[in-house]
Amino acid sequence: MEYSLTLQSDCNLVLKNGSTRVWETMTGGYSAECYVTLDLNGKLAVWHPRFRYPLWSSGIMSQVGYYALVLRYDGTLRIYGPQLWSAGSSSAQLTAGIVGWTWTKTTESVLYSGDVAPIGTTIVNGNNELTLLDDCNLVLNGDGATKWQTGVTDRTMHDCYVNLEANGELRVKHWGGDVLWTNRVASPTYSSLFSCCKPTPCSLSMAL
């Protein structure tokens, strides 16, 4: 399956699976001057310069912050944000701004909430690699050096995995359920502000 999101020349924002139309904003019939915006409050909108109001919007607004529109591997279109936690140095830390390093290829470099990544999983972007090692240590390497690691290891069981909870908490766990490491961050807000497109129509996904 190959998903694509396109703002067409007639102002219709369309999600397709190959040549099959999965979802659309139903805003066709206008000229090519249209554009799409994602506001700092998380609202997605399709605009035409002729009008003061958007032709279409997700209608959902949240706290001011940094948001990302993500077309997931399963064909779901979602808005995520704001950031809860980042790691790119010798220690994990809470952050209030933009991450110090970013992954530009979103669909190839993201662990989504609900995903489970076993030992050997490697997320790559450029020279950066995030890997769960055989001893259960989650390590970020780049440019020939270790930029960050959990520092938590278990050399006896070799049965751990990484998962990202719906509330934004990143964990390294045993398959038996024991938590080896956590970023100790849980969001009181929604992990996914807007969700649509599988199959149709759009819906609000609220993961507390």
Side-chain angles (χ1 to χ4, degrees), residues 129-208:
E129 293 188 358
L130 182 67
T131 306
L132 182 62
L133 302 179
D134 185 61
D135 62 1
C136 300
N137 192 15
L138 184 63
V139 180
L140 174 65
N141 291 318
D143 300 318
T146 297
K147 295 184 175 182
W148 173 85
Q149 59 182 316
T150 61
V152 176
T153 60
D154 186 335
R155 302 179 185 277
T156 59
M157 300 186 69
H158 309 288
D159 68 342
C160 51
Y161 65 94
V162 178
N163 84 300
L164 182 62
E165 301 288 342
N167 63 5
E169 185 178 4
L170 183 67
R171 294 178 173 182
V172 179
K173 301 174 67 175
H174 280 307
W175 287 106
D178 295 334
V179 177
L180 297 176
W181 176 87
T182 171
N183 63 356
R184 300 185 184 278
V185 174
S187 172
T189 58
Y190 307 127
S191 63
S192 176
L193 184 65
F194 164 81
S195 176
C196 72
C197 322
K198 193 176 182 182
T200 188
C202 294
S203 62
L204 176 64
S205 176
M206 298 182 178
L208 293 176

Coordinates of all heavy atoms in Angstrom, one line a residue, residues 129-208:
E129 N 21.2 6.8 14.6 CA 20.5 5.5 14.8 C 20.1 5.2 16.2 O 20.9 5.4 17.1 CB 21.4 4.3 14.4 CG 21.8 4.3 12.9 CD 22.5 3.1 12.5 OE1 22.8 2.2 13.4 OE2 22.9 2.9 11.3
L130 N 18.8 5.0 16.4 CA 18.3 4.6 17.7 C 18.0 3.1 17.7 O 17.2 2.6 16.9 CB 17.0 5.4 18.0 CG 16.3 5.1 19.4 CD1 17.2 5.7 20.5 CD2 14.9 5.8 19.4
T131 N 18.7 2.4 18.6 CA 18.7 0.9 18.6 C 18.4 0.4 20.0 O 19.0 0.8 21.0 CB 20.0 0.4 18.1 OG1 20.3 0.9 16.8 CG2 19.9 -1.1 17.9
L132 N 17.5 -0.6 20.1 CA 17.4 -1.4 21.3 C 18.3 -2.6 21.2 O 18.1 -3.5 20.4 CB 15.9 -1.9 21.5 CG 15.7 -2.7 22.8 CD1 15.9 -1.8 24.0 CD2 14.2 -3.2 22.8
L133 N 19.4 -2.6 22.1 CA 20.4 -3.6 22.0 C 19.9 -4.9 22.7 O 18.9 -4.9 23.4 CB 21.7 -3.1 22.7 CG 22.3 -1.8 22.1 CD1 23.5 -1.4 22.9 CD2 22.6 -2.0 20.6
D134 N 20.7 -6.0 22.5 CA 20.4 -7.3 23.1 C 20.4 -7.3 24.6 O 19.7 -8.1 25.2 CB 21.4 -8.3 22.6 CG 21.1 -9.7 23.0 OD1 20.0 -10.2 22.6 OD2 21.9 -10.3 23.7
D135 N 21.1 -6.3 25.2 CA 21.1 -6.2 26.7 C 20.0 -5.3 27.2 O 20.0 -4.9 28.4 CB 22.5 -5.8 27.2 CG 22.9 -4.4 26.7 OD1 22.1 -3.8 26.0 OD2 24.0 -4.0 27.0
C136 N 19.1 -4.9 26.3 CA 17.9 -4.0 26.7 C 18.3 -2.5 26.9 O 17.4 -1.8 27.3 CB 17.2 -4.5 27.9 SG 16.6 -6.2 27.8
N137 N 19.5 -2.1 26.5 CA 19.9 -0.7 26.5 C 19.4 0.0 25.3 O 19.7 -0.5 24.2 CB 21.4 -0.6 26.7 CG 21.8 0.8 27.1 OD1 21.0 1.6 27.5 ND2 23.1 1.1 26.9
L138 N 18.6 1.0 25.4 CA 18.2 1.8 24.3 C 19.2 2.9 24.0 O 19.5 3.8 24.9 CB 16.8 2.4 24.5 CG 16.2 3.2 23.4 CD1 15.9 2.3 22.2 CD2 14.9 3.9 23.9
V139 N 19.8 2.9 22.8 CA 21.0 3.7 22.6 C 20.8 4.6 21.3 O 20.3 4.1 20.3 CB 22.3 2.9 22.4 CG1 23.5 3.8 22.1 CG2 22.5 2.0 23.6
L140 N 21.2 5.9 21.4 CA 21.2 6.7 20.2 C 22.6 7.0 19.8 O 23.4 7.6 20.6 CB 20.5 8.1 20.5 CG 20.6 9.1 19.4 CD1 19.8 8.7 18.2 CD2 20.0 10.5 19.9
N141 N 23.0 6.5 18.6 CA 24.4 6.7 18.1 C 24.3 7.6 16.9 O 23.4 7.6 16.1 CB 25.0 5.4 17.7 CG 25.3 4.5 18.9 OD1 25.8 5.0 19.9 ND2 25.1 3.2 18.8
G142 N 25.4 8.4 16.7 CA 25.5 9.3 15.6 C 26.9 9.9 15.4 O 27.5 10.2 16.4
D143 N 27.3 9.9 14.2 CA 28.7 10.5 13.9 C 29.8 9.8 14.7 O 30.7 10.4 15.2 CB 28.7 12.0 14.2 CG 27.7 12.7 13.3 OD1 27.5 12.4 12.1 OD2 27.0 13.6 13.9
G144 N 29.6 8.4 14.8 CA 30.7 7.7 15.5 C 30.7 7.8 17.0 O 31.6 7.3 17.6
A145 N 29.7 8.3 17.6 CA 29.6 8.5 19.0 C 28.3 8.2 19.6 O 27.3 8.3 18.9 CB 30.0 9.9 19.4
T146 N 28.2 7.9 20.9 CA 26.9 7.6 21.6 C 26.4 9.0 22.1 O 27.1 9.6 22.9 CB 27.1 6.7 22.7 OG1 27.5 5.4 22.2 CG2 25.8 6.5 23.5
K147 N 25.3 9.4 21.6 CA 24.7 10.7 21.9 C 23.8 10.6 23.2 O 23.7 11.6 23.9 CB 23.9 11.3 20.8 CG 24.7 11.6 19.5 CD 23.8 12.3 18.5 CE 24.7 12.7 17.3 NZ 23.8 13.4 16.3
W148 N 23.2 9.5 23.4 CA 22.3 9.3 24.5 C 22.0 7.8 24.7 O 22.1 7.0 23.7 CB 21.0 10.0 24.3 CG 20.0 9.8 25.3 CD1 19.8 10.4 26.5 CD2 18.9 8.8 25.2 NE1 18.7 9.8 27.2 CE2 18.2 8.9 26.4 CE3 18.5 7.9 24.3 CZ2 17.1 8.1 26.7 CZ3 17.4 7.1 24.5 CH2 16.7 7.2 25.7
Q149 N 21.8 7.4 25.9 CA 21.3 6.0 26.2 C 20.6 6.0 27.5 O 20.7 6.8 28.3 CB 22.5 5.1 26.2 CG 23.6 5.4 27.3 CD 24.8 4.5 27.3 OE1 24.6 3.3 27.2 NE2 26.0 5.1 27.4
T150 N 19.8 4.9 27.7 CA 19.0 4.8 28.9 C 20.0 4.4 30.0 O 19.7 4.7 31.2 CB 17.9 3.7 28.8 OG1 18.5 2.5 28.5 CG2 16.9 4.2 27.7
G151 N 21.0 3.6 29.7 CA 21.9 3.1 30.7 C 21.4 2.0 31.5 O 22.0 1.6 32.5
V152 N 20.2 1.5 31.2 CA 19.6 0.4 31.9 C 19.8 -0.9 31.1 O 19.4 -1.0 29.9 CB 18.1 0.6 32.1 CG1 17.5 -0.6 32.8 CG2 17.9 1.9 33.0
T153 N 20.4 -1.9 31.7 CA 20.7 -3.2 30.9 C 20.2 -4.4 31.7 O 20.0 -4.3 32.9 CB 22.2 -3.3 30.7 OG1 22.9 -3.4 31.9 CG2 22.7 -2.2 29.8
D154 N 19.9 -5.5 31.0 CA 19.6 -6.7 31.6 C 20.3 -7.8 30.7 O 19.8 -8.1 29.6 CB 18.1 -7.0 31.7 CG 17.7 -8.2 32.4 OD1 18.6 -9.2 32.5 OD2 16.6 -8.3 32.9
R155 N 21.4 -8.4 31.2 CA 22.2 -9.3 30.4 C 21.7 -10.7 30.6 O 22.4 -11.7 30.1 CB 23.6 -9.1 30.7 CG 24.2 -7.7 30.5 CD 25.7 -7.6 30.9 NE 26.1 -6.3 30.8 CZ 26.5 -5.7 29.6 NH1 26.5 -6.4 28.5 NH2 27.0 -4.4 29.6
T156 N 20.6 -11.0 31.3 CA 20.2 -12.3 31.6 C 19.0 -12.8 30.7 O 19.0 -14.0 30.3 CB 19.9 -12.5 33.1 OG1 18.8 -11.6 33.4 CG2 21.1 -12.1 33.9
M157 N 18.0 -12.0 30.5 CA 16.8 -12.4 30.0 C 16.6 -12.2 28.5 O 16.1 -13.0 27.7 CB 15.6 -11.8 30.7 CG 15.6 -12.1 32.2 SD 14.1 -11.5 33.0 CE 12.8 -12.6 32.3
H158 N 17.2 -11.1 28.0 CA 17.1 -10.7 26.5 C 15.7 -10.8 25.9 O 15.5 -11.3 24.9 CB 18.1 -11.7 25.8 CG 19.4 -11.8 26.3 ND1 20.4 -10.7 26.2 CD2 20.1 -12.8 27.0 CE1 21.5 -11.1 26.8 NE2 21.3 -12.3 27.3
D159 N 14.7 -10.3 26.7 CA 13.4 -10.4 26.2 C 12.6 -9.1 26.3 O 11.4 -9.0 26.5 CB 12.6 -11.5 27.0 CG 12.3 -11.1 28.4 OD1 13.0 -10.2 28.9 OD2 11.4 -11.7 29.1
C160 N 13.4 -8.0 26.1 CA 12.8 -6.7 26.3 C 12.2 -6.1 25.0 O 12.5 -6.6 23.9 CB 13.8 -5.7 26.9 SG 15.3 -5.7 26.1
Y161 N 11.5 -5.0 25.1 CA 11.0 -4.3 23.9 C 10.8 -2.8 24.3 O 10.7 -2.5 25.5 CB 9.7 -4.9 23.4 CG 8.5 -4.8 24.3 CD1 7.6 -3.8 24.3 CD2 8.3 -5.8 25.3 CE1 6.5 -3.7 25.1 CE2 7.3 -5.8 26.2 CZ 6.4 -4.7 26.1 OH 5.3 -4.7 27.0
V162 N 10.6 -2.0 23.3 CA 10.3 -0.6 23.5 C 8.8 -0.3 23.1 O 8.4 -0.8 22.1 CB 11.2 0.3 22.7 CG1 10.8 1.8 22.9 CG2 12.7 0.1 23.1
N163 N 8.1 0.5 23.9 CA 6.8 0.9 23.4 C 6.5 2.3 23.9 O 7.1 2.8 24.8 CB 5.7 -0.1 23.9 CG 5.2 0.2 25.2 OD1 5.9 0.2 26.2 ND2 3.9 0.5 25.4
L164 N 5.7 3.0 23.1 CA 5.3 4.3 23.4 C 3.8 4.3 23.7 O 3.0 4.0 22.9 CB 5.5 5.3 22.2 CG 5.2 6.7 22.3 CD1 6.0 7.3 23.4 CD2 5.4 7.5 21.0
E165 N 3.5 4.7 25.0 CA 2.1 4.7 25.5 C 1.3 5.8 24.8 O 1.9 6.8 24.3 CB 2.1 4.8 27.0 CG 2.8 3.7 27.7 CD 2.1 2.4 27.7 OE1 0.9 2.4 27.4 OE2 2.7 1.3 27.9
A166 N 0.0 5.7 24.9 CA -0.9 6.8 24.3 C -0.7 8.1 25.0 O -1.0 9.1 24.4 CB -2.3 6.3 24.3
N167 N -0.2 8.1 26.3 CA -0.1 9.3 27.0 C 1.3 9.9 26.8 O 1.6 10.9 27.5 CB -0.3 9.1 28.5 CG 0.6 8.1 29.1 OD1 1.6 7.7 28.5 ND2 0.4 7.8 30.4
G168 N 2.1 9.4 25.9 CA 3.4 10.0 25.6 C 4.6 9.4 26.4 O 5.7 9.8 26.3
E169 N 4.3 8.4 27.3 CA 5.4 7.8 28.1 C 6.1 6.7 27.2 O 5.5 5.8 26.7 CB 4.8 7.1 29.3 CG 5.9 6.6 30.2 CD 5.3 6.0 31.5 OE1 4.1 6.0 31.7 OE2 6.1 5.6 32.4
L170 N 7.4 6.9 27.1 CA 8.3 5.9 26.4 C 8.8 4.9 27.4 O 9.4 5.3 28.5 CB 9.4 6.6 25.7 CG 10.4 5.8 24.9 CD1 9.6 5.2 23.7 CD2 11.6 6.6 24.4
R171 N 8.7 3.6 27.1 CA 9.2 2.6 28.1 C 10.0 1.5 27.4 O 9.8 1.2 26.3 CB 7.9 1.9 28.7 CG 7.1 2.8 29.6 CD 5.9 2.0 30.1 NE 5.1 2.7 31.1 CZ 4.0 2.2 31.7 NH1 3.6 1.0 31.4 NH2 3.4 3.0 32.6
V172 N 11.0 1.0 28.2 CA 11.6 -0.3 27.9 C 11.1 -1.3 28.9 O 11.3 -1.1 30.1 CB 13.2 -0.1 27.9 CG1 13.8 -1.5 27.6 CG2 13.7 0.9 27.0
K173 N 10.6 -2.4 28.4 CA 9.9 -3.3 29.3 C 10.3 -4.8 28.9 O 10.7 -5.1 27.8 CB 8.4 -3.2 29.1 CG 7.8 -1.9 29.4 CD 6.3 -1.8 29.1 CE 5.5 -2.6 30.0 NZ 4.0 -2.5 29.8
H174 N 10.2 -5.7 29.9 CA 10.2 -7.1 29.7 C 8.9 -7.5 29.1 O 7.9 -7.0 29.4 CB 10.5 -7.9 31.0 CG 11.9 -7.8 31.4 ND1 13.0 -8.2 30.6 CD2 12.5 -7.5 32.6 CE1 14.1 -8.1 31.3 NE2 13.9 -7.7 32.5
W175 N 8.9 -8.6 28.3 CA 7.7 -9.2 27.8 C 6.8 -9.6 28.9 O 5.6 -9.7 28.8 CB 8.0 -10.3 26.9 CG 8.5 -9.9 25.6 CD1 9.8 -10.0 25.1 CD2 7.8 -9.2 24.5 NE1 10.0 -9.4 23.9 CE2 8.8 -9.0 23.5 CE3 6.5 -8.8 24.3 CZ2 8.4 -8.3 22.3 CZ3 6.2 -8.2 23.2 CH2 7.1 -7.9 22.2
G176 N 7.4 -9.9 30.1 CA 6.6 -10.3 31.3 C 5.8 -9.1 31.9 O 5.0 -9.3 32.7
G177 N 6.2 -7.9 31.5 CA 5.5 -6.7 32.0 C 6.3 -5.8 32.8 O 5.9 -4.6 33.1
D178 N 7.5 -6.2 33.4 CA 8.3 -5.3 34.2 C 8.9 -4.2 33.4 O 9.4 -4.4 32.3 CB 9.4 -6.1 34.9 CG 8.9 -7.2 35.8 OD1 7.8 -7.0 36.4 OD2 9.6 -8.2 36.0
V179 N 8.8 -3.0 34.0 CA 9.4 -1.8 33.3 C 10.8 -1.6 33.7 O 11.1 -1.5 34.9 CB 8.6 -0.5 33.7 CG1 9.2 0.7 33.1 CG2 7.1 -0.7 33.3
L180 N 11.7 -1.6 32.7 CA 13.2 -1.5 33.0 C 13.5 0.0 33.0 O 14.4 0.4 33.8 CB 14.0 -2.2 31.9 CG 13.9 -3.7 31.9 CD1 14.7 -4.3 30.7 CD2 14.3 -4.3 33.2
W181 N 12.9 0.8 32.1 CA 13.2 2.2 32.1 C 12.0 3.0 31.5 O 11.2 2.4 30.7 CB 14.4 2.4 31.1 CG 14.7 3.9 30.9 CD1 15.5 4.7 31.6 CD2 14.2 4.7 29.8 NE1 15.5 6.0 31.1 CE2 14.7 6.0 30.0 CE3 13.3 4.5 28.8 CZ2 14.5 7.1 29.2 CZ3 13.0 5.6 27.9 CH2 13.6 6.8 28.1
T182 N 11.8 4.2 32.0 CA 10.8 5.1 31.4 C 11.2 6.5 31.4 O 12.1 6.9 32.2 CB 9.5 5.0 32.3 OG1 8.5 6.0 31.9 CG2 9.8 5.2 33.8
N183 N 10.7 7.3 30.5 CA 11.1 8.7 30.4 C 10.3 9.5 31.5 O 10.5 10.7 31.6 CB 10.8 9.3 29.1 CG 9.4 9.3 28.6 OD1 8.5 8.7 29.3 ND2 9.1 9.8 27.5
R184 N 9.4 8.8 32.2 CA 8.7 9.4 33.3 C 7.8 10.7 32.9 O 7.7 11.6 33.6 CB 9.6 9.8 34.5 CG 10.4 8.6 35.0 CD 11.2 9.0 36.3 NE 12.0 7.9 36.7 CZ 11.5 7.0 37.5 NH1 10.3 7.0 37.9 NH2 12.3 6.0 37.9
V185 N 7.4 10.6 31.7 CA 6.5 11.7 31.1 C 5.2 11.1 30.7 O 5.1 10.2 30.0 CB 7.2 12.4 29.9 CG1 6.3 13.4 29.3 CG2 8.5 13.0 30.3
A186 N 4.1 11.7 31.3 CA 2.8 11.3 30.9 C 2.0 12.6 30.6 O 2.0 13.5 31.4 CB 2.1 10.5 32.0
S187 N 1.3 12.7 29.5 CA 0.6 13.9 29.1 C -0.8 13.9 29.6 O -1.5 12.9 29.5 CB 0.6 14.0 27.6 OG -0.2 15.0 27.1
P188 N -1.2 15.1 30.2 CA -2.6 15.2 30.5 C -3.5 15.6 29.4 O -4.7 15.7 29.5 CB -2.5 16.4 31.5 CG -1.4 17.2 31.0 CD -0.4 16.3 30.5
T189 N -2.9 15.8 28.2 CA -3.6 16.2 27.0 C -3.7 15.0 26.0 O -3.2 13.9 26.3 CB -2.9 17.4 26.3 OG1 -1.6 17.1 26.0 CG2 -2.9 18.6 27.2
Y190 N -4.2 15.2 24.8 CA -4.4 14.2 23.9 C -3.1 13.9 23.1 O -2.4 14.8 22.6 CB -5.5 14.6 22.9 CG -6.8 15.0 23.6 CD1 -7.4 16.2 23.3 CD2 -7.4 14.2 24.5 CE1 -8.6 16.5 23.9 CE2 -8.5 14.5 25.2 CZ -9.1 15.7 24.8 OH -10.3 16.1 25.5
S191 N -2.8 12.6 22.9 CA -1.6 12.3 22.1 C -1.9 12.5 20.6 O -1.0 12.7 19.8 CB -1.2 10.8 22.4 OG -2.2 10.0 22.0
S192 N -3.1 12.4 20.2 CA -3.5 12.6 18.8 C -4.7 13.6 18.8 O -5.7 13.2 19.3 CB -3.9 11.3 18.1 OG -4.3 11.5 16.8
L193 N -4.4 14.8 18.3 CA -5.5 15.8 18.3 C -6.5 15.6 17.3 O -7.7 15.8 17.5 CB -4.8 17.2 18.1 CG -5.7 18.4 18.3 CD1 -6.2 18.5 19.7 CD2 -4.9 19.7 17.9
F194 N -6.1 15.2 16.1 CA -7.0 15.0 15.0 C -6.7 13.7 14.3 O -5.5 13.4 14.1 CB -6.9 16.2 14.0 CG -7.5 16.0 12.7 CD1 -8.8 16.1 12.4 CD2 -6.6 15.6 11.6 CE1 -9.3 16.0 11.2 CE2 -7.2 15.4 10.3 CZ -8.5 15.6 10.1
S195 N -7.7 12.9 13.9 CA -7.4 11.6 13.2 C -8.5 11.4 12.2 O -9.6 11.7 12.4 CB -7.4 10.5 14.2 OG -7.3 9.3 13.6
C196 N -8.0 11.0 11.0 CA -9.0 10.7 10.0 C -8.5 9.7 9.0 O -7.3 9.3 9.1 CB -9.4 12.0 9.2 SG -8.1 12.6 8.2
C197 N -9.3 9.4 8.1 CA -8.9 8.8 6.8 C -8.8 7.3 6.8 O -8.2 6.7 5.9 CB -7.6 9.4 6.3 SG -7.4 11.1 6.6
K198 N -9.3 6.6 7.8 CA -9.3 5.1 7.7 C -10.6 4.6 8.2 O -10.7 4.4 9.4 CB -8.1 4.5 8.4 CG -7.9 3.0 8.0 CD -6.7 2.4 8.6 CE -6.6 1.0 8.1 NZ -5.4 0.3 8.6
P199 N -11.6 4.3 7.3 CA -11.5 4.6 5.9 C -12.0 6.0 5.7 O -11.4 6.8 5.0 CB -12.5 3.6 5.3 CG -13.4 3.3 6.3 CD -12.7 3.4 7.6
T200 N -13.2 6.4 6.2 CA -13.8 7.8 6.1 C -15.1 7.7 6.9 O -15.7 6.7 7.0 CB -14.0 8.2 4.6 OG1 -14.4 9.5 4.6 CG2 -15.1 7.3 4.0
P201 N -15.5 8.8 7.5 CA -15.0 10.2 7.5 C -14.0 10.4 8.6 O -13.5 9.4 9.2 CB -16.3 11.0 7.7 CG -17.1 10.1 8.6 CD -16.8 8.7 8.2
C202 N -13.7 11.7 8.8 CA -12.7 12.0 9.9 C -13.3 11.8 11.2 O -14.6 11.9 11.4 CB -12.3 13.5 9.7 SG -11.3 13.8 8.3
S203 N -12.5 11.6 12.2 CA -13.0 11.5 13.6 C -11.9 12.0 14.5 O -10.8 12.1 14.2 CB -13.3 10.0 14.0 OG -12.1 9.2 13.9
L204 N -12.3 12.4 15.7 CA -11.4 12.9 16.7 C -10.9 11.7 17.6 O -11.7 11.0 18.1 CB -12.1 13.9 17.6 CG -11.3 14.4 18.8 CD1 -10.1 15.2 18.3 CD2 -12.1 15.3 19.7
S205 N -9.6 11.5 17.6 CA -9.0 10.5 18.4 C -8.5 11.0 19.7 O -7.6 11.8 19.7 CB -7.9 9.8 17.6 OG -7.3 8.8 18.4
M206 N -9.0 10.6 20.8 CA -8.6 11.2 22.1 C -8.0 10.1 23.0 O -8.7 9.2 23.4 CB -9.8 11.8 22.8 CG -10.4 13.0 22.1 SD -11.7 13.7 23.1 CE -12.2 15.0 22.0
A207 N -6.7 10.1 23.1 CA -6.0 9.1 24.0 C -5.5 9.8 25.2 O -4.6 10.6 25.2 CB -4.8 8.5 23.2
L208 N -6.2 9.6 26.3 CA -5.8 10.2 27.6 C -4.6 9.6 28.2 O -4.4 8.4 28.1 CB -7.0 10.2 28.5 CG -8.2 11.0 28.1 CD1 -9.3 10.8 29.1 CD2 -7.9 12.5 28.0

